[in-house]
Each structure stands twice: as structure tokens, then as C-alpha cells.
Amino acid sequence: MINKVLVVNSGSSSLKFMLFDMKGEKMLAKGLVERIGSPNANLVYSRAGGAKSNSAVSAPDHAAALKAVLAVLVSPDRGVIASLGEVDAIGHRVLHGAEVFKDSVKVDKPVLAKIKKLVPYGPLHMPANIGGIEACMRILPKVPNVAVFDTAFHQTMPPCAAQYALQPKYYKKYGIRKYGFHGTSHKYIVQAAAKWLRKPVSRVNLVTCHLGNGSSISAVKGGKVLDTSMGLTPLAGLVMGTRCGDVDPAVVFSIAKLEGLDADRLDRLLNKESGLQGVTGVAGGDMRDICARAAKGDEACRLALEMFGHRAAFYVGGYNTLVGGADAIVFTGGIGENSSDGREQIMKRLSALGVKIDKKANAKIHGETGLVSTRDSKIPCVVIPTNEELMIARETFRLA
Ligand code: ADP
């Protein structure tokens, strides 16, 4: 019987974790080890409802970081479990499942070998994701591991949505197609929205907007993804914190020629130096800073906000058409859950769909589930906080 599930999100220099008791889906403790590989690695840790603590740890690699996490979880003064024997299963966030993994999977050696072959799909993230799984397999060899892929939920897209209008050899030889990301969040939101609508998942049509530093919107028909705004990589689609989202592909080779930039430099320009940050100069393109400056009359920030809303509304409108009319438009992620201005920028552009914003409710809702459109809005717009870690824990519980 699976009771306690540890969720691990292993990044290049950090390892985030949450421990759940699946009886009642209660979060027991959470935290992260940051600056792995540096001499000043740090463990941030808190128990449910408790204060955050910081402590220096020795974490030259992910295995050492995991040991530090396990040590605090069982420590007599700060821990939440008596022994590591209480950890029944571990769920891992993995960036890319390509077309190999259409669902979460229990990891054994052959599965791990298959995941390793997918490193070229995410050369920055996949090695760290795999490092986290290997560390768990080594340190807790009896505990089952489950891999939950960011791309898996989008694997239901039909070819007309998933394929690019390129010669087929690029797909057949190199796997170049749309994969989509944030799948764990969109899946959680689809389940939560179905519950909110009191409909079975298989009968809901939705437009789900995950808006954070990285943002994506999905078209969901009958509970399944029909299309999503991110593509081969998380660069496509919306205007994001530091990513440009959609541009005419010719922009890329025009800038390359004009400024003599190579592929790596262009990659950095479009992924890390564009989007809200690129337009405004605000570091990280943080929505809070941009809204604050826009309110004070900063023209570049105002423009960035309008661009953000315009692009997002374009996707919402198109996806509403493709799903044959959405039962709800859902906002989630740091911006979707918290930024009244960000949501308003989108909703105010949706009047042709019969969407009517409830300004009072929209100003009030932060980080909680609630309606932000009026009762007579033709499509309800609702905020639902995402919980990717809980979704990973549920997948782990289901498979382990
Ligand atoms: P990530 O994609 O890194 O997980 P998040 O989902 O945490 O990002 O979202 C980060 C974004 O959410 C930032 O742009 C941040 O400004 C915005 N955000 C977070 N809290 C608020 C808030 N209270 N009001 C407005 N924006 C917020």
C-alpha cells in the first residue's frame, strides 16, 4: 500500500522536493537544495504550515543533495517521518518524453535507458532529471520511482496540430514536431476544472492558460489536448518573461545575418533576453514589476502588458473555436493565479466570445479558486491554482 510519496524536481543546480501523505493528499514537507555543485549549497525547508528554514549543506552533486533532503525529513527535531522506510514511492518531474512516453511510467533499468536516449530533446534539463532518478535508485534501491513527463499530456494532439509544415524528413529523421510543455499542470487543471464544472473529464471542453515565467495555453476537447501553444521547445507561443514566443521565423535568420549571430547566440537572445524583459528592460520580465511600472506610466511596460494580453487572447479565441466552444477558460500559474492586470489584459479582448469580466472579483482573486467573469458571461473565466507536485504524486500513486 502506497502512503507517502516523495516528489522530486531535479534541475541543473537545484533539487526541489515535496513529501505527500496520499491519505487525504496532504503535503507534509517541502523545500529545495539550491546551488548544487557549489561550496555554498543551501537547503530551504519547511513543514506543512511551518516556517521556512535555511541551512548550509554539502551538496557537490544531486546524490549528496538528495541525502541532505532525506536526512532532514527523518531528523528528530525538524523531520516529518520516523524513518526512510516510510517513503513508499518517488515521483520525478521529467522534461521530455518525446513520442516514447505518452503517459507517466514506472522506472526500471530498461525504461531508464529509454529516457537517457531522449537527452537531445532537452540537453539542459534532461541530464539533471535523470541524475535525480539515478540518485534515488542508488540511495533508496527498494523504493519504486515514477517518471512524469511535461510533454505526455499533450500526446493526444492530432497530426494536423502536432506537425509543422516542413518536409516530412525533419520529423522522421529528427523528431521535429510540436510536443508542448507544462503538461502536468494542464492535466491537473483539466481534472480540477471538470470537478468545478461538475462534469466528467471526458466531456469537458476547455481553454487552459498556464501563465508564469514560462506560459502556455492549451485547447482541451473531451478532456484531451487538441492543441497547445508551446512547440518543439518551450519557446513558441505566448509572450513570456524572457522568451519571445511566436515570431516570423524569418526574423531569426534576418537577425543572424544583420548581427552575425550563430545558433547558440540566437538561442540565448530569443530564450533569455526577449519577451517581457526584452521589451521593457525589466530583469526577468517579472509581471509584478511590469504592472507596477505600467501603473506609474512607463510606456514600455504598458506596451509589454498589451502585447502579453493581445497574444494570449489570440490563442484563447482560436482554441475556443477549435474545441467547438469551451465550457470554461481557466487561468493558472504565477500570473494566471495572482495578476489581476494580466488576466484583465486577456479577458477584455474576449468580448466577441461573450466573455464579460467581473472587475471586482478579478481584483480580489489571488491564489485561490474563483470566478473572475460575471454570472452572465457566455464562457465562465475561472482561476484555479495549479499543483504540479500533487499531480506528480497522484501519477506516482497510480503507477507505483
Ligand atoms: P514559473 O514559470 O517560473 O513556475 P510562476 O508560475 O511562479 O513561474 O510565475 C511567475 C510569474 O508570476 C512572475 O511574472 C510573477 O511576477 C508573477 N506573479 C507572482 N505573484 C504575483 C502577484 N501577486 N501579482 C502579479 N504577478 C505575480
Side-chain angles (χ1 to χ4, degrees), residues 100-115:
V100 180
F101 297 104
K102 296 181 193 301
D103 196 0
S104 309
V105 64
K106 206 169 152 178
V107 185
D108 55 15
K109 278 199 174 143
V111 166
L112 186 63
K114 279 190 194 166
I115 297 176

Side-chain angles (χ1 to χ4, degrees), residues 15 17 28-35 41-57 68-69 71-73 75 77-80:
L15 187 144
F17 66 94
L28 301 175
K30 67 175 176 180
L32 78 157
V33 179
E34 52 195 358
R35 294 192 290 275
N42 178 47
L43 169 71
V44 184
Y45 174 76
S46 62
R47 291 189 283 203
K52 253 189 207 172
S53 67
N54 277 282
S55 45
V57 287
V69 169
V72 73
L73 289 173
S75 74
D77 51 338
R78 298 196 290 158
V80 285

Side-chain angles (χ1 to χ4, degrees), residues 16 93 182 210-215 240-241 243 276 284-291 332-342 366-367 386 388:
K16 296 185 188 146
R93 181 178 184 193
H182 292 143
H210 177 108
L211 311 173
N213 284 320
S215 299
M240 304 178 226
R243 293 176 222 154
L276 300 172
D286 192 288
M287 194 53 129
R288 276 166 293 204
D289 300 339
I290 287 171
C291 290
T332 197
I335 295 172
E337 292 167 30
N338 296 298
S339 175
S340 312
D341 291 343
H366 292 286
T386 194
E388 289 169 277

Side-chain angles (χ1 to χ4, degrees), residues 136-175:
C136 289
M137 287 172 119
R138 222 172 24 246
I139 296 165
L140 297 172
K142 293 204 180 97
V143 181
N145 290 279
V146 170
V148 180
F149 303 91
D150 247 27
T151 50
F153 188 54
H154 299 301
Q155 276 292 307
T156 50
M157 277 188 288
C160 63
Q163 294 293 333
Y164 292 124
L166 299 169
Q167 294 169 31
K169 71 171 179 190
Y170 293 107
Y171 167 58
K172 290 188 183 138
K173 232 172 134 178
Y174 308 113

